[in-house]
Amino acid sequence: MAESYATDESVQTLPLDAMHRRLGARMVTFAGYAMPIQFEGIIAEHLWTRAHAGLFDVSHMGQLLLPLAQGVSLEAVLPGDIVGLAEGVLRYSLLLDDKGGILDDLMVTRRARDLYLVVNGAVKTADIATLRGVGLDVAYRDDWALLALQGPEAVAALERLVPGVSELRFMRAAAFVWSGHDLWVSRSGYTGEDGFEISVPATAAEALATALLAQPEVKPIGLGARDSLRLEAGLPLYGHDLDPGTTPIEAGLGFAISKRRKLERGFPGADIIMNQLLGGAPRRRVGLVVEGKLPAREGAAVFAGTEMVGTVTSGGFAPSLGMPIAMAYVAAAHAADGTAVEIEVRGRRLAATVTAMPFRQKNYVREGVVA
Amino acid sequence: MTLYFTTDHEWLNVEGDTATVGITDYAQGQLGDVVFVEVPAPGTVVAKGKEAAVVESVKAASDVYSPVSGTVTEANAALEADPALVNTAAEGDGWFFKLTLSDKTELDGLMDVAAYRALVAAL
């Protein structure tokens, strides 16, 4: 998800635009769309989501369908095992260029008759071109909205409206019907909390969002808290922590390369990526806990003594931790957990420590684990 | 004492040759939750329209420009322990710094309360 808050004459609106404005959202331009950055305030929304349930409008993301039979062709542009995916299972994957650079990160779900992809809003047009470029028949479903309901009480709130969703486990999805409308519901998200992502026809999106917001556990949450929640969860943001200049191994996303694909290769940049997987990458994405209260932001330089060893790619104040945290790419020699570094912010050096991510324990409801 | 405002949403309260400077309630509302404020140390010479302080919200860092020129005499130490004072009391306990004015004619170009409230109402 790349961001651009600049005002743009060609800004588009999403299905829930009027609802957000009625709820008092502050709207900004993000990925070319008018979107809510906050409702009551980022810290309050962040903490509400961690304790209860937050409703996020993520309809700017691209929802794409491919014919099920084209899974083999899809494997030409990403390193995941798509052919071997069981029905109703999600897989996190990466669109790659031939140097192993990351063009986007995305979710792929195998459904009964098709493959369902969710890609980042800011790069969805380029993604569609990449997919069509390898002969895939892409259907772009901009007639669907996408809602995320996240937090420990999300399951109780959604189960009340859509009986059966509580039986889904993390990274599993299925079709449901609510009030006569077809839904596609995944147990997944971008906050580190349990929760769901709900694809709904655009014409029914406001009715569903209104019904969810009527549940006592649920409040509307803006993009600001979405960013602070995902940062605490250690989840990278495309356009900031991932871009064509970073490889999956540098980004710490080696898990996205499926076992069969490691053996067979045949994905873009496979030689570069496999060399890094086996021999190590020259730099790595790390978490940093920053001493004091001054946040280090994207672009800040990371130092070991006088030597610049990296750059912050995301940073801010972590509401659940009460301190500043950041993600950075640093040279491999400084990437071990516990390494002391310094971050330069407005001419001042802030002490920071390389820290394992997530910064805060994730609370997923996984298959085979009794909650 | 006289209260002045700028189009950059700062306020200053002038008593004789000294002024207390802060950001307006409208400005704090735009910034959102403030988590850190960097204020100039006593003795710092600030110039009208130049960066004098930085406000960090959850989302971003924003520069605060000095509405007048002068020498800083005091920074608000309370903001270090409780930066959210900027949200809860922007035009009171959440003040940023005090300074000695070096050119009182600079006040002539600033707005009074009524003009500033009218500006905000039109936004």
Side-chain angles (χ1 to χ4, degrees):
Chain A
M1 195 159 49
E3 63 186 7
S4 61
Y5 289 162
T7 44
D8 186 338
E9 286 173 8
S10 63
V11 61
Q12 295 177 274
T13 55
L14 291 165
L16 296 179
D17 191 86
M19 189 192 83
H20 295 319
R21 293 174 196 271
R22 273 202 311 280
L23 291 170
R26 178 171 310 147
M27 304 296 282
V28 296
T29 302
F30 184 91
Y33 295 95
M35 297 199 65
I37 185 139
Q38 67 172 63
F39 292 86
E40 64 177 300
I42 293 174
I43 292 178
E45 292 168 33
H46 178 115
L47 297 176
W48 180 269
T49 303
R50 290 263 184 255
H52 306 286
L55 181 66
F56 303 75
D57 178 12
V58 289
S59 301
H60 63 302
M61 301 189 83
Q63 299 182 74
L64 314 178
L65 292 179
L66 303 177
L68 189 55
Q70 293 187 345
V72 177
S73 304
L74 181 59
E75 288 190 356
V77 289
L78 49 74
D81 181 353
I82 304 302
V83 174
L85 209 49
E87 188 177 326
V89 176
L90 282 75
R91 178 148 288 158
Y92 175 78
S93 198
L94 301 162
L95 277 186
L96 299 172
D97 68 20
D98 57 14
K99 292 190 166 61
I102 300 171
L103 299 173
D104 198 5
D105 62 341
L106 73 161
M107 286 288 187
V108 182
T109 310
R110 179 180 172 155
R111 310 203 303 180
R113 282 183 291 279
D114 50 35
L115 294 167
Y116 169 68
L117 278 58
V118 178
V119 303
N120 281 299
V123 289
K124 62 188 174 188
T125 305
D127 289 353
I128 291 168
T130 299
L131 297 170
R132 287 182 177 153
V134 293
L136 294 164
D137 298 314
V138 181
Y140 171 36
R141 299 304 303 257
D142 61 351
D143 54 333
W144 293 343
L146 190 62
L147 306 180
L149 187 69
Q150 300 280 296
E153 295 175 357
V155 61
L158 189 59
E159 178 72 21
R160 214 174 287 132
L161 296 182
V162 187
V165 293
S166 63
E167 288 164 33
L168 290 172
R169 287 297 173 262
F170 182 61
M171 296 294 270
R172 300 291 186 273
F176 292 87
V177 175
W178 171 76
S179 195
H181 302 289
D182 289 326
L183 307 181
W184 181 256
V185 181
S186 307
R187 198 152 193 178
S188 56
Y190 194 49
T191 59
E193 296 297 331
D194 181 28
F196 299 87
E197 291 172 299
I198 308 158
S199 178
V200 52
T203 49
E206 185 165 334
L208 177 59
T210 302
L212 286 167
L213 289 171
Q215 306 306 309
E217 300 92 346
V218 183
K219 285 188 178 185
I221 310 295
L223 290 175
R226 181 171 159 84
D227 190 47
S228 56
L229 287 158
R230 70 91 195 167
L231 181 60
E232 283 184 348
L235 299 168
L237 174 62
Y238 193 79
H240 298 257
D241 311 305
L242 308 175
D243 62 31
T246 55
T247 70
I249 309 305
E250 290 173 336
L253 302 175
F255 68 88
I257 304 160
S258 300
K259 190 190 264 183
R260 175 173 63 81
R261 307 300 308 278
K262 284 179 189 168
L263 297 171
E264 296 177 1
R265 304 201 176 191
F267 53 86
D271 290 345
I272 293 167
I273 290 169
M274 290 307 294
N275 283 343
Q276 288 189 352
L277 182 67
L278 300 171
R283 56 180 197 139
R284 277 171 44 195
R285 182 172 64 95
V286 297
L288 295 172
V289 166
V290 185
E291 273 181 34
K293 288 193 168 177
L294 176 57
R297 308 286 183 180
E298 180 176 4
V302 181
F303 286 86
T306 56
E307 184 193 2
M308 183 178 156
V309 297
T311 305
V312 170
T313 52
S314 283
F317 178 78
S320 296
L321 306 172
M323 60 188 189
I325 57 173
M327 279 184 206
Y329 279 83
V330 299
H334 303 277
D337 292 346
T339 304
V341 294
E342 290 181 321
I343 308 176
E344 192 167 285
V345 178
R346 297 192 290 273
R348 188 191 301 188
R349 292 285 185 92
L350 308 179
T353 306
V354 175
T355 304
M357 293 187 285
F359 295 100
R360 191 178 176 285
Q361 190 58 47
K362 290 173 182 166
N363 297 310
Y364 297 147
V365 178
R366 293 182 187 277
E367 189 84 67
V369 178
V370 178
Chain B
M1 68 183 198
T2 314
L3 205 50
Y4 296 90
F5 293 85
T6 73
T7 52
D8 289 329
H9 307 287
E10 290 122 6
W11 58 266
L12 67 164
N13 193 352
V14 178
E15 288 181 274
D17 285 339
T18 67
T20 305
V21 177
I23 67 169
T24 66
D25 191 58
Y26 172 83
Q28 71 77 22
Q30 292 296 304
L31 290 170
D33 299 316
V34 171
V35 297
F36 186 88
V37 183
E38 189 169 314
V39 285
T44 306
V45 176
V46 294
K48 179 182 168 72
K50 300 293 183 192
E51 293 152 24
V54 182
V55 187
E56 299 266 2
S57 68
V58 177
K59 188 67 197 162
S62 306
D63 290 319
V64 174
Y65 305 103
S66 185
V68 290
S69 305
T71 303
V72 175
T73 55
E74 186 182 351
N76 186 357
L79 294 180
E80 192 175 323
D82 188 9
L85 274 175
V86 178
N87 294 119
T88 55
E91 297 179 18
D93 291 345
W95 59 276
F96 279 27
F97 58 89
K98 297 182 182 190
L99 55 69
T100 304
L101 297 163
S102 59
D103 179 2
K104 288 192 78 171
T105 65
E106 287 177 348
L107 297 171
D108 296 344
L110 303 178
M111 283 176 281
D112 62 13
V113 177
Y116 179 71
R117 300 293 177 224
L119 173 93
V120 168
L123 290 174

